[in-house]
Amino acid sequence: MIKLIVMGVVIAMPAAAYEPLVEKQEFTLTEFVTDGGETIPEMRLGYETYGTLNEARDNAILIPHYFSGSSHAAGKYAEGDAAPGYWDAIIGSGKPIDTDKWFVVSVDSPVNLGANDPNVITTGPASINPATDQPWGMDFPILTMGDFVETQKGLMDQLEIPKWHAVMGASMGGIQSYEWAARYPDLLDRVVPVIASGWADADLIAWLDIWASPIRLDPNWNGGDYYDGEPPNAGLADALKTLTLHANSAEWSNGTFGRNWAEDGADPAAGWDNEFAVVDALNAAGAARAGLSDANHFLYLVKANQLFVAGGAGENLYQGLLDIDVPVMLIHTDEDLVFPGDAVRETGAIIKSDGTPVEIVELQGTRGHLDGVLGIAQAGERIRAFIEAE
Amino acid sequence: MIKLIVMGVVIAMPAAAYEPLVEKQEFTLTEFVTDGGETIPEMRLGYETYGTLNEARDNAILIPHYFSGSSHAAGKYAEGDAAPGYWDAIIGSGKPIDTDKWFVVSVDSPVNLGANDPNVITTGPASINPATDQPWGMDFPILTMGDFVETQKGLMDQLEIPKWHAVMGASMGGIQSYEWAARYPDLLDRVVPVIASGWADADLIAWLDIWASPIRLDPNWNGGDYYDGEPPNAGLADALKTLTLHANSAEWSNGTFGRNWAEDGADPAAGWDNEFAVVDALNAAGAARAGLSDANHFLYLVKANQLFVAGGAGENLYQGLLDIDVPVMLIHTDEDLVFPGDAVRETGAIIKSDGTPVEIVELQGTRGHLDGVLGIAQAGERIRAFIEAE
């Protein structure tokens, strides 16, 4: 085991990252028509694969990623990388998602937050609109989770994969897993939505708005038109700060920072520049992540998540969940502030109501929502059994 | 019973507001020296009283207020007022805090959020600094909950009240109740902290920072120097929006708004101006409250709350709680996101650890933290018994 330190907390990781070294690949969809009926002339996206597609082409597993994530789910790009992909603990030779058996496909989403990250390939408001030769900005079409799934369907077709053995992912990746199962029940055999529920309820819609609000408040945002000047990184950093706290838990903040000061001798009672350690760490985390991120992409991700209802928002909120007829494994934690236990259990109950098999796995941990990423190893053997079942 | 509609939810209220009509009074403390050793030449604050001080002067109950509240705890200023003070359900003739028996004193805090509310009298960064004849702005001394208590001690002396029969309050009012009991164990007979815990832990410190951040992001804030121009009301509205959501619960947002749109026919999927109803309501609530509030006052309140440790932050975080030796009734709800159940129970356990009697009353409701204000009536008879006990 090696130890990885994430936001001050030591995480035990299996020593061996997925091998061999991973290479980002890319694919392009042309004349992509959105759920809203608009056309994106060229949708260029990145993806990674782990393991080998078998001759029968029936061993592929799709993993869409979470809100602030990318397709880097496992392995390293170079030996010297500080950390492997986010779910490396369960993806690799002999691991629960055993790459000796499975061919794992992980895809960058459109409007990916990391628009400025060299390891992300995405298309969104920061991309050039071929009609104007300028960045799209807020003229980029609003996307839905259905659109995200359609981009993955496009890749599936290009890779000539007739059916996914499984679709699984954490948070927004879990949302996309529900969407896949509701939209294409015949194109997959099972789903594993992790730390996610089957629709965005008012509570999630409102919190997503709280995340996004600082961006619109930053004067540099300028209605989304900032690609010629200074980006609204102060607002984006505050948005990322809020997301970071919301995705954690009181156990984490209290256990890690307590009432410590950011700096010895700089009592927060003595001046406005003196901060508590927890605030300082969150400010640093937000600022660090802002650099590789794009503010408009953040807003598009928030919108897509707010709009989410599995299978699309029709007359019956639950229809998409009722349409799911493959086995479902829901993995969640009751310490999750973003997708509370009640919302996940309600989702499971609705899917199960017409006889679809649903297994619920509860994670333990001190990181709240983030335990679906950082603590996924504890569900590893349950995942292995679920995806290996005949 | 009459019905009061608060943020879309119908609240049943006892028909009779406290009588007679209430008048805001004021008091002044001169050369007020803060915990931090700075001097405020003139501290002018408002207060209200309900009931009559008896000849023995031993029937007085102090009620400090919550973060966004004021001393208007009961009654109406005029017959036509839309609603009485916030705890009117339990204050009045025959009510649990029976004004036929008790003399209730409710005090505006320094740096009160409602600096522009004609019904609030406060002193803070929006007040004129007599040394410069300009508003203090961020030169106003940083205050602590100890300072808040000292202003109330000043009023106590002016009213010639030798001892409080009880000190009680909700949220920041509960915090001040702890502070009173830790700081002046001989000047009160019992305390009732409602929806509050005994110190600001890292989780609360961080969330208070999230509340405050939009203010600093608003260019009109200008380092706190805006009294000659446009105030940072966009940032302040976002701060108040975040506070409003955080003080509520998923049961409230989901039950009240669901996935409804703000406007019929304006599908949030179809445009950036189209909002979900929950977001629209929160935006409206934030904007409405910003008008009477002051952004710098918000920041000073956040700081004072972040600094809070009952009895002051000494070597032992728990010393102030251990110093409490009057009976304590803690009232809280497990749906509270601001002061979670675990934090309140931990506070109770520490106070009780040296034999101090602690009663814990759990509220039920759908409003989260706000149930300590809106749902207080259900604890009424427990409060009556506690304050009437010999």
Side-chain angles (χ1 to χ4, degrees):
Chain A
M1 303 286 273
I2 56 162
K3 284 172 177 173
L4 172 67
I5 298 176
V6 177
M7 294 288 295
V9 170
V10 175
I11 311 290
M13 306 271 293
Y18 167 82
E19 292 175 334
L21 292 177
V22 172
E23 224 174 321
K24 184 75 65 174
Q25 301 170 71
E26 73 171 78
F27 68 106
T28 300
L29 304 171
T30 52
E31 305 299 318
F32 182 89
V33 179
T34 70
D35 260 359
E38 298 197 67
T39 299
I40 298 167
E42 186 182 79
M43 178 79 89
R44 207 175 132 252
L45 299 170
Y47 71 102
E48 301 185 6
T49 67
Y50 323 110
T52 310
L53 185 60
N54 64 15
E55 282 193 26
R57 312 187 89 75
D58 65 359
N59 69 331
I61 293 177
L62 175 69
I63 302 187
H65 61 74
Y66 54 96
F67 189 97
S68 63
S70 76
S71 60
H72 195 40
K76 295 183 168 189
Y77 298 124
E79 294 293 351
D81 286 0
Y86 64 91
W87 261 8
D88 190 276
I90 56 167
I91 300 170
S93 174
K95 294 181 189 174
I97 303 172
D98 189 343
T99 48
D100 297 338
K101 291 181 185 164
W102 309 114
F103 175 62
V104 178
V105 180
S106 181
V107 189
D108 286 333
S109 75
V111 304
N112 185 291
L113 186 59
N116 301 316
D117 183 337
N119 288 317
V120 168
I121 302 171
T122 191
T123 300
S127 308
I128 297 297
N129 177 354
T132 64
D133 260 344
Q134 298 293 318
W136 286 88
M138 300 301 281
D139 291 334
F140 193 78
I142 289 174
L143 298 186
T144 66
M145 287 298 145
D147 292 321
F148 285 30
V149 162
E150 289 304 325
T151 66
Q152 295 149 14
K153 172 71 165 53
L155 176 62
M156 185 188 196
D157 293 342
Q158 292 186 15
L159 297 178
E160 295 174 43
I161 293 168
K163 195 177 193 180
W164 300 111
H165 179 74
V167 177
M168 57 177 66
S171 196
M172 190 176 82
I175 278 179
Q176 292 166 82
S177 305
Y178 288 117
E179 182 64 25
W180 260 101
R183 189 176 271 245
Y184 289 119
D186 298 333
L187 296 188
L188 77 178
D189 283 332
R190 72 209 77 202
V191 285
V192 187
V194 179
I195 51 169
S197 52
W199 68 94
D201 59 16
D203 188 53
L204 180 62
I205 290 170
W207 278 109
L208 286 164
D209 175 75
I210 300 290
W211 294 6
S213 288
I215 291 171
R216 292 184 292 256
L217 200 55
D218 186 326
N220 287 343
W221 179 59
N222 189 31
D225 182 6
Y226 54 77
Y227 295 103
D228 281 344
E230 281 298 312
N233 277 6
L236 180 55
D238 272 4
L240 288 161
K241 169 169 84 165
T242 305
L243 175 164
T244 302
L245 181 62
H246 199 211
N248 267 290
S249 73
E251 241 179 306
W252 166 74
S253 50
N254 293 333
T256 310
F257 304 101
R259 291 185 48 87
N260 293 343
W261 302 345
E263 205 180 312
D264 273 353
D267 183 352
W272 288 98
D273 291 338
N274 302 348
E275 274 300 354
F276 286 97
V278 64
V279 172
D280 192 55
L282 287 166
N283 282 337
R289 298 173 80 176
L292 297 181
S293 304
D294 179 80
N296 285 339
H297 282 226
F298 194 108
L299 297 179
Y300 275 78
L301 284 171
V302 160
K303 186 72 141 176
N305 279 279
Q306 289 177 322
L307 293 173
F308 171 64
V309 177
E315 285 296 298
N316 178 358
L317 187 65
Y318 308 140
Q319 193 55 53
L321 296 178
L322 295 171
D323 289 344
I324 295 176
D325 55 15
V326 296
V328 178
M329 173 177 273
L330 297 185
I331 302 178
H332 81 110
T333 155
D334 261 346
E335 308 306 311
D336 192 331
L337 296 173
V338 183
F339 290 100
D342 285 350
V344 174
R345 278 184 289 271
E346 201 178 342
T347 298
I350 292 164
I351 298 173
K352 205 158 59 174
S353 67
D354 62 1
T356 305
V358 175
E359 267 186 70
I360 297 188
V361 179
E362 194 159 323
L363 299 172
Q364 304 299 319
T366 60
R367 299 302 299 272
H369 185 63
L370 277 180
D371 275 321
V373 176
L374 302 174
I376 193 64
Q378 61 187 286
E381 293 311 312
R382 294 289 296 273
I383 293 171
R384 186 196 301 269
F386 185 72
I387 61 178
E388 293 189 356
E390 291 306 314
Chain B
M1 304 285 274
I2 57 163
K3 285 174 177 173
L4 172 68
I5 298 177
V6 177
M7 293 289 294
V9 170
V10 175
I11 309 292
M13 307 270 296
Y18 167 81
E19 292 177 335
L21 292 177
V22 172
E23 224 175 320
K24 184 76 66 175
Q25 301 170 71
E26 72 172 78
F27 68 106
T28 300
L29 305 170
T30 52
E31 304 299 318
F32 182 90
V33 180
T34 70
D35 260 359
E38 298 196 66
T39 299
I40 298 167
E42 186 181 79
M43 177 79 88
R44 206 175 132 253
L45 299 171
Y47 71 102
E48 300 185 7
T49 67
Y50 323 111
T52 308
L53 185 61
N54 64 14
E55 281 194 26
R57 312 186 88 75
D58 65 359
N59 69 330
I61 292 177
L62 175 69
I63 303 187
H65 62 73
Y66 54 96
F67 189 97
S68 63
S70 74
S71 61
H72 195 40
K76 295 182 168 190
Y77 299 124
E79 295 292 352
D81 286 1
Y86 65 91
W87 261 7
D88 190 275
I90 55 168
I91 301 171
S93 173
K95 295 182 188 174
I97 303 173
D98 190 342
T99 47
D100 297 338
K101 291 181 185 165
W102 309 114
F103 175 63
V104 178
V105 180
S106 181
V107 188
D108 285 335
S109 75
V111 303
N112 186 292
L113 185 59
N116 302 316
D117 183 336
N119 288 317
V120 168
I121 302 171
T122 191
T123 299
S127 309
I128 297 297
N129 177 353
T132 63
D133 260 344
Q134 298 293 317
W136 286 88
M138 301 301 281
D139 290 334
F140 193 78
I142 288 174
L143 298 186
T144 66
M145 286 298 146
D147 292 320
F148 285 29
V149 163
E150 290 302 327
T151 65
Q152 294 149 13
K153 171 73 166 52
L155 176 62
M156 185 189 196
D157 293 342
Q158 292 186 14
L159 296 177
E160 295 174 40
I161 292 168
K163 196 176 193 181
W164 301 111
H165 178 75
V167 177
M168 58 177 65
S171 196
M172 190 177 82
I175 278 179
Q176 291 166 82
S177 305
Y178 288 118
E179 182 65 24
W180 260 103
R183 187 176 272 246
Y184 289 119
D186 299 333
L187 295 189
L188 77 179
D189 282 331
R190 73 210 74 203
V191 284
V192 187
V194 178
I195 51 169
S197 52
W199 68 94
D201 59 17
D203 188 53
L204 180 61
I205 290 169
W207 279 109
L208 287 164
D209 175 74
I210 299 291
W211 294 5
S213 286
I215 291 171
R216 291 184 294 256
L217 201 54
D218 186 327
N220 287 344
W221 179 58
N222 190 31
D225 183 6
Y226 53 78
Y227 295 103
D228 282 343
E230 280 299 311
N233 277 5
L236 180 55
D238 272 4
L240 287 160
K241 169 169 83 165
T242 305
L243 175 163
T244 302
L245 181 62
H246 198 212
N248 268 291
S249 72
E251 241 179 306
W252 166 74
S253 50
N254 293 333
T256 311
F257 303 101
R259 290 185 50 85
N260 292 343
W261 302 346
E263 206 179 313
D264 273 352
D267 183 353
W272 288 98
D273 292 336
N274 301 349
E275 274 301 353
F276 287 96
V278 64
V279 172
D280 193 55
L282 288 167
N283 282 337
R289 297 173 81 176
L292 297 181
S293 304
D294 180 80
N296 285 339
H297 282 226
F298 194 109
L299 298 180
Y300 275 79
L301 283 171
V302 160
K303 187 72 140 177
N305 280 280
Q306 289 178 320
L307 293 173
F308 171 64
V309 177
E315 285 296 298
N316 178 358
L317 187 63
Y318 307 140
Q319 192 56 53
L321 296 178
L322 294 171
D323 289 344
I324 295 177
D325 55 15
V326 297
V328 178
M329 173 177 274
L330 297 185
I331 302 178
H332 81 109
T333 155
D334 261 347
E335 307 307 310
D336 192 332
L337 296 172
V338 183
F339 290 100
D342 284 351
V344 174
R345 279 183 288 272
E346 201 179 341
T347 297
I350 292 163
I351 297 174
K352 203 158 60 176
S353 67
D354 61 2
T356 304
V358 175
E359 267 185 72
I360 297 188
V361 179
E362 195 161 321
L363 299 172
Q364 304 299 320
T366 61
R367 300 301 300 270
H369 185 62
L370 277 180
D371 275 321
V373 177
L374 302 174
I376 193 65
Q378 62 186 284
E381 293 312 312
R382 294 289 297 273
I383 294 171
R384 186 196 300 270
F386 184 72
I387 61 178
E388 293 190 356
E390 290 304 316

